[in-house]
Structures are given as structure tokens and as C-alpha cells.
Amino acid sequence: MTAASSTVLSRRAALARRLAGGASSTWFPYLLVAPLALILWGYVVQPMLATFVESVSEDGVSNYTKFLSSSGVARTSLITSLVISAASVVLCGVVGVAMAFLLKRFSFAGRRLIEAFILVPAALPPLIGAISFQLLYSEIGILPRGLQRLFGTDSPVLAFDGIAGVLVVHTFTMYPFFYLAASAALAGLDPSVEEAAYNLGAGRVRVWRTVLLPMLTPALVSASLLVFMTSLASYTAPLLFGVDQTMTMQIYINRTNGDLPMASTYASALGLVSIAFLLLMRWYEGRRSYMSQSKGVSARRREISNPIGRWLAPVASVLATLVLLAPVATIALVAFSEDGSWTTEIIPSAYTVDNFVTILSEPKAFQPILNSLQMSLLATAGCVAVGVLIAYAVRRLRFFGRSLLDIGVMIAWALPGTVVAINLISAFSTGNTFSLGQALIGTFWILPLAYFVRFLPLVFRASSASLALIDPSLEEAARSLGASWWRAFLSITVRLMLPGVIVGALLAFVHGVGEFVASVLIYTSSTVPISVAINNRMYSFEIGTAAAYGMLQVLLIFVVMWFSGRLENGGRAASRRAEQWTN
């Protein structure tokens, strides 16, 4: 770092301290933070405590002893969930790191084609993603039936079911965690380090083991924790592939059977494990990691020299693209099939546009769409109002307990959707202070509240990242000219943060529209969201209509992804212009 850059950073740090002091008395940060902390307590922490109280309300700690016994569904479910999560980490790591190394280090025909679609599976809503893989790879799937017809066998070929099916879904939808982390790490590596190792006589395996792997370790560990936590929270894949003995499935089963204390026990145990991994991830990200003395020069992609490799590369690229697009293509195909027309055929035999006409024209069929849009908009508005202020408090203000506020937000992200639902059921089945004395369970408001709790961290993180790029001197200048803190905050800081805030809001909105895991536990007949309508249609064998709902979700997500990309690019350009102006 140059002396000039150090001076700039020191100046910004000093300005940030002045800004923190200023809104400028010592009590101001606490005045701003108090209602935010109260919101997190009332809707994140207090429901967790209510769930624990519910779990011990009838038989004391007897429910928890089941987790310590040598047999029983509870212990088996915990072990199964942990095994599935660990296996998902391994499989996602192999696929994600291999794809990152292949696309970032080699140049071959078809590389850009794969890069254009490599993140498509991760963009699917959880329920639609699991359904698409079920329609593709399970015993009723297109591929196993096609291979059965091709080879003339008595049963489907290469059909995935049970835990194998769950792992297929997890691998194809979660490998982007490893791909993105490994790609960023590889882009920051100094190629001269590898060249020096090769010049000293090291082989490829030794260079990978002693040079590349240590430098990738921080990224791989972070990705591993993310995949592990996401797999542990998975509900839709076990549901569709018939794996009942997982923690999330047992929460759902006990809740639907009316055994709320046992469901609360599972939720408390799963929540504790999830929070432990969240704290582990934060600890690892905060510790000293491997660093290279990079000169800022990225490694050049190498041409494939092997003649056979050059010939196979475009073929493999086309096949990989087909695999990546197959889930979306399957949903699109089935969306135009007539309900009840697809039985034993490889693909549907009759097609129609009536599925889309029905869900867009019939009031009863359109109501789930309207419900999801309304509830997601309400939740997103709350996420923006609270998330932006928390991001500002954590980034710009100095007060006791700042790290606790940060952790409080991220606990909501760490908790699986099933746990969030059980927490809200335990806390708001009766009226309390945070529900204004009204019982929220069975009302319209419980679903927007669940979406708010689940997706507040998305807006918080996007706002925090955007705020990190804004020079505090801009707000300080406005305040030095007589503007109040609120005016400077709204007219300067919020306007510059706006692209990042909008990106976070769009992500929260689209996640709310596709949310299923918490919704299925707390919806009512009048508040059915799109995801629950899809699930209900699937169980009614109205597969075409279910896929039509899903296709609308997918189109919405792709539009949001495109718009978010444009906003992020515009936000970076605006930050650069502001930086040039201040300098």
C-alpha cells in the first residue's frame, strides 16, 4: 500500500469517527439503535426463546433426551441430516472447484457458453428446483424412462431416489457457492508463484497440494460452511425424494400431527446447530488467512494442447450447457402439458396453453400469485426500512454492542425456514407486546412477518456492502454546511446507497415470492402463496398447472437477476464518480 493510499484511508477513518460521533452526541447512536435492537429481539430472538419454552412445557427435558438415546427417530434424523450435509459439501466442492479451475485456467471452444449458464440452477426457487430434478432424474423422470426405453429394461435406468436424489439436487443447486468462491480466489492468485514451483521441478499434483490448495483454503472453508448450513436447512429435496428422517422433515411431520412441543424440540436443536455453524463461519472469516504477495497480474488461460482434448472440449461444453439448462427446460415443457396427460410416457403427450390462461384469468387460481406479490412487497418494505438503518448503524456508528446487532441480523439468515416458522408459531399463537396483543397465527400478517425475518439479512448485507464504498466525507460535508443528520442521511447517503439497496430489496422480494419452507407450516386457506399452490397442485396430479406457476416464478427471477446486474454496474460507476469528485 502506498503512502498516498494510506493517507486517504486514514482520512476516511477519521471522518467516519467524526460522523459516528456526530450525529454528534454520545446518546444519538443508542437512540437510533434501540428500536432496531427491539425489532430483532421481538421477531428473531424472543421467538427462539418461546420455541425452547414450548419444547419443555409438557415433559420437561424428556424430548431432548431422545437426541441422546442410542436409538429413535430423533437421533437418526440428526445423523441423517449431518451426513447429507457433509456429503453435499464434498460433492459440491468437487464440482464447483473443478468448474472454476477449468473455466478460469483454460481456454477452449465453448467456454463462454458454459460461463453464460453456469449459475442457472442456483437461480431456481428451491421448490421448483427440486421438482425439476424430480421430473428429470427420479423413477418417474424423463432421463430414467428414456434410458429404460432405449435399453429395453424392466425398470427405469439411473433413477435417483431417497438420499441419492437429495444429493443430486443439493449438488446441482449449491455448487455455485464453491464455484464463485474458488473463481474469486483463483483470479487473485499471482501466476508467478505457480511458475516458480514448476521451475523448481514440482509436478502438477505437488503444485496443487502445496501452492494452490493452501491459497484456496479460506475460500473453500467459507463455501463449505455455507453449503453445510444450506443443506442442513433443506426441506424441499427430502420432501420430494421421500427422505422422512431429516430434522426439517421431522419438524414438519410433528407440526402437522399436532405435536408442537416435539416440533419445537427439533426446531431448537436444529437452530442451535445452525447458529453454531454461523458463529464458526464468522470466526473463520475474521481470523488471519493465507495471503500472497500478488502483483495484481491474473493468470492467463492456457490453451488445451492435447488434440483429443481440443476435440472433446466443444462436445463437453454443449453437453454441460444442456445439463445446466435441463431443469428450466423441463419446467417450461411440462408447463404446457395438459393436466393428467403425463402418466407412463417419457415426455407429456398432450400440450396446451390453458394452464397459463387458467392461473391468469380465474380469480381462485390467480389468488396465490396476488397473495405472494402482496406479502413479499410488505416484507420487502420492512426489510428495506430496518436493513438500511442497521447497516448504517453497524458501518458508521460507534456504540456498545455493535457486533451483537450484526450477529442478531445474521441469526435470522442462519435459521432454516422450518425453524423460523416454528419460532413464530410458538411466539405469536397468542397475543403479546410485539403483536399488539393480537394472535398472528391464522392471519394474513404472519407470512409477511416470516418473510421479513428470513430475508432481512439480504437487504442488510447489500446495503452494508454499498455503504462500504461511500466516502464518509460526503455526508460530513453536508452536515458541516448546516444539514441535519436526517437530511444528510437521506439526501446523500441513501441516494448513493440506492443501487445496492434496490438490489437487496429485489433479492428479498423474489425470495419471498418463491418461499415455501416456512410458508407451508403457517399459511391459511386465504393466504396460500404461489409455492404452496404449486405443492398442492403437484399432490393433486395437476402437474402442468404447477409447472406453469413455477415458470412464472423462474421468469420473474431471471428479470430480477438481469435488472440487479444493471444496477450493480451503475452503482459501481456512481461510486467511482463520487470518489473522483471528493479527491
Side-chain angles (χ1 to χ4, degrees):
M1 181 180 296
T2 64
S5 60
S6 298
T7 302
V8 171
L9 290 175
S10 299
R11 180 172 61 87
R12 290 186 178 181
L15 286 170
R17 288 192 296 270
R18 289 169 59 192
L19 194 59
S24 85
S25 61
T26 56
W27 54 263
F28 174 81
Y30 297 97
L31 184 65
L32 178 65
V33 167
L36 302 176
L38 198 63
I39 289 172
L40 293 179
W41 171 263
Y43 301 112
V44 178
V45 180
Q46 182 261 343
M48 291 173 56
L49 299 178
T51 296
F52 175 75
V53 171
E54 180 68 36
S55 70
V56 299
S57 61
E58 291 187 359
D59 301 320
V61 296
S62 63
N63 287 333
Y64 289 95
T65 60
K66 295 180 181 180
F67 286 93
L68 303 176
S69 62
S70 58
S71 61
V73 175
R75 182 181 177 88
T76 302
S77 299
L78 179 59
I79 293 174
T80 302
S81 295
L82 294 175
V83 169
I84 289 175
S85 298
S88 299
V89 169
V90 174
L91 293 172
C92 292
V94 170
V95 174
V97 175
M99 293 298 289
F101 195 78
L102 181 66
L103 296 178
K104 300 303 178 182
R105 288 301 179 90
F106 293 95
S107 179
F108 54 90
R111 176 181 60 83
R112 293 185 181 276
L113 186 65
I114 300 178
E115 285 185 324
F117 299 109
I118 193 158
L119 298 180
V120 166
L124 295 174
L127 180 62
I128 291 301
I131 289 175
S132 67
F133 284 103
Q134 183 187 40
L135 297 177
L136 271 172
Y137 302 117
S138 71
E139 290 187 352
I140 64 170
I142 294 173
L143 181 62
R145 284 182 174 181
L147 293 176
Q148 179 185 9
R149 178 75 60 84
L150 179 64
F151 295 114
T153 59
D154 295 330
S155 59
V157 179
L158 294 179
F160 292 96
D161 201 8
I163 292 178
V166 173
L167 291 176
V168 167
V169 174
H170 286 184
T171 301
F172 274 85
T173 57
M174 298 179 194
Y175 77 82
F177 287 121
F178 276 96
Y179 171 76
L180 293 172
S183 296
L186 287 171
L189 292 183
D190 190 341
S192 64
V193 178
E194 287 181 70
E195 294 172 3
Y198 284 122
N199 292 336
L200 292 173
R204 291 185 181 275
V205 174
R206 187 174 182 183
V207 169
W208 172 262
R209 180 174 57 85
T210 61
V211 178
L212 292 178
L213 188 58
M215 297 302 298
L216 290 175
T217 296
L220 297 183
V221 171
S222 296
S224 297
L225 291 171
L226 283 171
V227 170
F228 192 93
M229 291 173 62
T230 306
S231 301
L232 200 63
S234 177
Y235 168 74
T236 52
L239 173 69
L240 293 177
F241 284 90
V243 184
D244 293 337
Q245 292 191 356
T246 65
M247 295 291 286
T248 52
M249 283 297 296
Q250 288 302 311
I251 291 173
Y252 174 77
I253 291 171
N254 282 278
R255 164 59 179 159
T256 53
N257 289 339
D259 191 354
L260 184 58
M262 194 63 209
S264 299
T265 303
Y266 278 100
S268 297
L270 183 56
L272 185 63
V273 174
S274 300
I275 291 172
F277 273 93
L278 169 67
L279 296 177
L280 177 62
M281 185 172 67
R282 286 178 60 85
W283 168 81
Y284 186 83
E285 289 178 345
R287 67 190 289 269
R288 183 171 176 264
S289 60
Y290 297 93
M291 298 182 64
S292 68
Q293 302 298 320
S294 175
K295 301 179 179 63
V297 180
S298 59
R300 286 188 175 185
R301 292 186 175 91
R302 298 195 295 269
E303 296 285 344
I304 297 178
S305 57
N306 188 292
I308 298 178
R310 285 201 303 268
W311 180 81
L312 288 177
V315 177
S317 299
V318 172
L319 290 176
T321 302
L322 291 176
V323 170
L324 292 171
L325 293 179
V328 177
T330 300
I331 294 297
L333 175 70
V334 178
F336 289 98
S337 67
E338 290 184 4
D339 287 334
S341 66
W342 191 15
T343 54
T344 60
E345 301 86 358
I346 298 175
I347 60 174
S349 57
Y351 298 90
T352 181
V353 296
D354 289 346
N355 298 329
F356 290 96
V357 174
T358 297
I359 63 178
L360 294 175
S361 61
E362 292 187 7
K364 186 176 180 180
F366 185 72
Q367 190 61 44
I369 299 175
L370 188 61
N371 287 342
S372 287
L373 294 177
Q374 289 176 335
M375 294 184 294
S376 297
L377 281 173
L378 284 171
T380 301
C383 289
V384 169
V386 177
V388 170
L389 289 175
I390 294 179
Y392 183 89
V394 171
R395 279 281 180 183
R396 291 288 173 85
L397 301 181
R398 291 180 298 160
F399 57 92
F400 178 76
R402 183 170 60 176
S403 60
L404 291 178
L405 192 67
D406 188 10
I407 291 174
V409 177
M410 297 314 296
I411 283 177
W413 173 80
L415 294 177
T418 49
V419 175
V420 171
I422 295 297
N423 289 350
L424 296 180
I425 291 170
S426 301
F428 298 110
S429 293
T430 58
N432 60 39
T433 303
F434 295 99
S435 62
L436 303 180
Q438 303 296 314
L440 297 183
I441 297 300
T443 71
F444 169 85
W445 298 102
I446 193 64
L447 278 168
L449 178 59
Y451 299 167
F452 167 78
V453 172
R454 291 207 68 193
F455 307 127
L456 172 63
L458 296 177
V459 179
F460 167 71
R461 283 305 184 196
S463 302
S464 181
S466 182
L467 188 61
L469 301 175
I470 300 174
D471 192 333
S473 63
L474 297 175
E475 187 178 335
E476 177 73 7
R479 297 199 61 245
S480 66
L481 293 173
S484 65
W485 177 85
W486 274 109
R487 184 175 181 182
F489 174 71
L490 294 175
S491 61
I492 303 295
T493 306
V494 171
R495 288 183 65 181
L496 291 175
M497 290 173 62
L498 198 57
V501 174
I502 293 176
V503 169
L506 288 173
L507 288 174
F509 175 75
V510 80
H511 276 74
V513 171
E515 210 285 332
F516 172 68
V517 178
S519 301
V520 74
L521 288 169
I522 54 179
Y523 79 96
T524 65
S525 58
S526 61
T527 60
V528 176
I530 296 178
S531 55
V532 174
I534 292 172
N535 188 59
N536 293 343
R537 297 275 186 170
M538 289 291 293
Y539 276 96
S540 300
F541 298 102
E542 299 176 55
I543 300 177
T545 304
Y549 277 119
M551 200 62 209
L552 293 180
Q553 283 186 319
V554 171
L555 291 175
L556 175 63
I557 287 174
F558 285 161
V559 170
V560 168
M561 288 176 62
W562 173 82
F563 191 57
S564 297
R566 297 289 300 270
L567 282 174
E568 285 179 344
N569 293 334
R572 284 192 290 266
S575 296
R576 286 194 296 268
R577 288 195 296 269
E579 174 109 3
Q580 292 171 357
W581 180 77
T582 57
N583 292 333

